[in-house]
Amino acid sequence: MEGTFNSIEQFEQVLYKTVEKAGEISLVKFMANFVSSEDKNKIKELYGVEKPGSKIIEILEDNPDKYYFTSKEAPNKNNWFFKVLGTDNKSTPKIVKNDSVQQKNETADSKKEKKTLKIAKESDELLDDSDLLTSTEDEEVELPVDEKLKKIVAKDMVLINDTFYISKFLVTQELYESVMGENPSSFKDDPDPKEKQERRPVETVSYLEAIEFCKKLSEKCGFASCYKNGIYNPEINGFRLPTESEWNFVATAENKNSFIYAGSNVPDGFAWYKHNSKTKTHEVGKKNPVIINDDGIYDMNGNVWEWVMSDSDADKALFIGGSYEDSEDYLELGKPMNKEFTDKNTKNSKIGFRICVNSLK
């Protein structure tokens, strides 16, 4: 697959559109086969949250031992030349300047095995905006299933109305870090006595980052991603955020009670909020739960607000339920103060999330 480009910007656009059009599987392959582990978070951020821009080029150029990205007519940086060498898992994708560089790289490749980037089908044709090819099933990368993680997550899921599962607990700092490799939370110390730090809810996570967690968790547990470009596809089974309707259905115990708050008419025993939280988060599951079919769903009110998928505005992020810093007025179910719309990149120490999945099979 070869392409000659008139500018660095054109290369970026075509590379981005190739991955975007090929879909989620191709992006996983791109990450697994072409990007070193230390660069994966950077690439994930660029492709998961925003268009690549010049940063993708900086990453390529900062790693000359892994990638080759130079002009055929250096130093004017015009006519960029991109070439993927080989399909036998013994060569590395390269962006080459001339034949001598290419021969040198091919010789080096023959000495040790390396994986090959395949963001489109094999082709010797010019790659342009009208010639982008999607991945096929036989190109999919089989990723190992983390059976231990899958069992841990499944154990804490509750079946609701025979239609979907929801997690008993807010996503904890421990679970988030095991999936994403980092803990962005603001509350990383000073837990209450007899509370476990790692079991406090993760927070300071945006709506888009919560979706990225769901996608990554799905990948690790052997499920497909039900999100593409941030849009939820209900026909695909994977971990996801609850919808607004699902969250309210659970908070009211499948519409079987008329409590003011989730599980009670008195918030203190069921929620960490302004009057009992000491202005900080607490270990999940320490308050009384909403009871559904003898199972408990904890912290539906308070502790942290929860990201959910809006029933009415897909372009905005929605959080619901109230937090450790809010009064009981913000906890009251069905009231305007109990939910708020915001930008999908918003994040602060008062917002976390829990997860759903349509099936555990």
Side-chain angles (χ1 to χ4, degrees):
M1 179 172 57
E2 299 180 4
T4 301
F5 304 95
N6 295 325
S7 68
I8 194 168
E9 289 80 10
Q10 185 183 8
F11 173 85
E12 290 183 87
Q13 290 170 7
V14 174
L15 177 60
Y16 175 74
K17 289 181 179 179
T18 300
V19 175
E20 181 181 51
K21 187 170 182 178
E24 198 61 32
I25 294 300
S26 185
L27 179 54
V28 170
K29 288 170 52 185
F30 181 81
M31 297 282 291
N33 296 349
F34 187 42
V35 184
S36 63
S37 58
E38 59 267 29
D39 291 336
K40 282 187 178 180
N41 286 337
K42 297 178 184 178
I43 297 289
K44 177 181 65 180
E45 179 182 356
L46 293 172
Y47 283 101
V49 179
E50 61 187 27
K51 291 188 177 182
S54 62
K55 291 182 180 179
I56 183 68
I57 302 306
E58 294 170 7
I59 292 172
L60 295 175
E61 292 182 328
D62 285 345
N63 295 274
D65 293 337
K66 291 188 284 290
Y67 319 121
Y68 293 83
F69 191 75
T70 56
S71 169
K72 289 173 65 177
E73 301 175 6
N76 63 8
K77 292 196 172 183
N78 285 322
N79 297 318
W80 293 89
F81 183 76
F82 174 69
K83 186 181 179 89
V84 175
L85 302 174
T87 58
D88 57 359
N89 289 337
K90 293 184 180 181
S91 56
T92 301
K94 304 235 183 340
I95 300 169
V96 296
K97 179 179 178 181
N98 54 45
D99 290 342
S100 61
V101 173
Q102 180 175 338
Q103 290 169 2
K104 179 180 178 181
N105 294 335
E106 288 174 332
T107 301
D109 286 337
S110 65
K111 295 180 180 179
K112 57 182 178 179
E113 282 197 4
K114 292 188 177 181
K115 293 182 178 180
T116 303
L117 167 66
K118 293 164 68 178
I119 55 175
K121 293 181 180 178
E122 295 177 47
S123 173
D124 290 327
E125 300 175 349
L126 181 67
L127 180 65
D128 59 28
D129 287 356
S130 63
D131 194 31
L132 302 177
L133 301 173
T134 61
S135 61
T136 60
E137 289 185 6
D138 60 25
E139 290 179 338
E140 294 183 10
V141 173
E142 291 294 332
L143 299 171
V145 176
D146 188 332
E147 295 292 350
K148 182 179 179 180
L149 176 63
K150 187 175 181 180
K151 288 180 181 178
I152 290 172
V153 173
K155 174 176 65 70
D156 289 334
M157 303 298 290
V158 176
L159 180 61
I160 306 296
N161 201 30
D162 293 326
T163 56
F164 68 97
Y165 290 82
I166 193 167
S167 56
K168 291 182 181 181
F169 307 110
L170 297 160
V171 173
T172 63
Q173 296 181 24
E174 179 181 41
L175 177 58
Y176 190 91
E177 187 168 7
S178 71
V179 173
M180 304 302 289
E182 62 178 355
N183 179 9
S185 304
S186 298
F187 291 101
K188 292 183 179 180
D189 53 27
D190 190 33
D192 258 20
K194 299 183 180 180
E195 291 188 12
K196 298 177 180 178
Q197 167 61 38
E198 65 272 19
R199 294 285 293 167
R200 295 167 88 173
V202 71
E203 24 77 14
T204 318
V205 175
S206 72
Y207 180 91
L208 293 174
E209 289 169 337
I211 286 177
E212 190 62 32
F213 169 87
C214 291
K215 291 162 66 176
K216 190 70 173 179
L217 180 62
S218 296
E219 173 188 312
K220 285 180 173 289
C221 293
F223 294 103
S225 172
C226 55
Y227 290 101
K228 183 174 182 180
N229 298 326
I231 305 299
Y232 169 56
N233 182 352
E235 301 301 318
I236 298 176
N237 183 54
F239 288 103
R240 59 179 176 83
L241 299 176
T243 66
E244 181 182 356
S245 294
E246 288 170 341
W247 191 95
N248 282 305
F249 189 70
V250 173
T252 58
E254 300 178 323
N255 294 327
K256 292 177 182 177
N257 67 48
S258 57
F259 292 138
I260 297 174
Y261 310 105
S264 175
N265 286 324
V266 181
D268 290 75
F270 289 77
W272 295 110
Y273 69 119
K274 182 177 181 179
H275 299 297
N276 64 11
S277 71
K278 302 177 184 176
T279 322
K280 62 184 178 182
T281 63
H282 292 264
E283 179 181 343
V284 299
K286 287 294 186 180
K287 290 293 186 179
N288 294 323
V290 176
I291 302 297
I292 298 180
N293 296 328
D294 298 324
D295 279 310
I297 316 295
Y298 296 85
D299 298 296
M300 293 295 291
N301 273 151
N303 219 348
V304 290
W305 293 89
E306 301 180 34
W307 291 120
V308 297
M309 294 187 286
S310 169
D311 294 339
S312 59
D313 189 348
D315 294 327
K316 286 287 187 178
L318 176 65
F319 54 87
I320 197 165
S323 79
Y324 64 85
E325 197 173 83
D326 298 302
S327 70
E328 58 267 36
D329 295 335
Y330 287 85
L331 276 56
E332 192 168 346
L333 301 177
K335 294 300 179 69
M337 293 173 71
N338 191 236
K339 66 179 183 179
E340 185 172 335
F341 289 94
T342 186
D343 182 84
K344 291 183 178 181
N345 286 302
T346 297
K347 54 184 174 182
N348 59 55
S349 67
K350 295 185 290 185
I351 310 176
F353 65 103
R354 74 178 70 233
I355 54 174
C356 286
V357 69
N358 295 339
S359 171
L360 290 172
K361 297 181 180 179

